[in-house]
Amino acid sequence: MYIPMGTIVTVCMFLAVIFSIRIPKGGLYGACPVWLLKIVGVLVGVAGFWNVFWYAIQHLTEFWGLMALGSGALMILLSVQLTVPRAKDLSALNTVRPFAVVALLGFALYYAKTIHSL
């Protein structure tokens, strides 16, 4: 069975969005044990590094190369917050996190729409 890498990356983007949302009095981020956040963070980080350092570098002048660069950078950023979930030292990252989540959601929806139309 073969699963295309674009599908795997899209699933990782949705995982990053779902686990990075911080809703007062709820949400997966506050309800999950730290070990689960770290596992998801590592998976998202690996997919982000693959997106940036393998696909994007090879296709930097193409549309999907730029999409991989943007989405991969956002996945790496959010993976840091998931692997170090309750650190107060990440105040700069906490400031940009809501924007990163919304932007990554946009990337994930575009990837999913494209994959669905194939």
Side-chain angles (χ1 to χ4, degrees):
M1 185 167 100
Y2 171 73
I3 300 174
M5 194 61 188
T7 303
I8 294 169
V9 169
T10 304
V11 168
C12 288
M13 282 191 259
F14 279 117
L15 282 174
V17 168
I18 291 167
F19 279 87
S20 295
I21 294 174
R22 296 188 186 159
I23 303 169
K25 299 181 182 178
L28 282 178
Y29 181 82
C32 287
V34 174
W35 63 267
L36 182 58
L37 292 175
K38 288 184 180 191
I39 289 173
V40 171
V42 168
L43 288 173
V44 168
V46 167
F49 276 106
W50 182 89
N51 238 11
V52 170
F53 294 111
W54 190 84
Y55 192 85
I57 288 177
Q58 291 185 26
H59 305 277
L60 201 51
T61 60
E62 301 169 12
F63 174 75
W64 284 108
L66 296 174
M67 291 287 284
L69 182 64
S71 61
L74 290 170
M75 285 194 293
I76 292 168
L77 175 75
L78 292 175
S79 76
V80 169
Q81 293 219 315
L82 289 171
T83 54
V84 188
R86 292 175 177 90
K88 298 192 188 328
D89 303 339
L90 302 174
S91 61
L93 291 178
N94 287 329
T95 304
V96 299
R97 184 191 41 76
F99 303 107
V101 169
V102 170
L104 189 60
L105 177 61
F107 278 108
L109 290 172
Y110 191 82
Y111 271 59
K113 179 183 100 35
T114 303
I115 290 169
H116 176 69
S117 68
L118 293 176

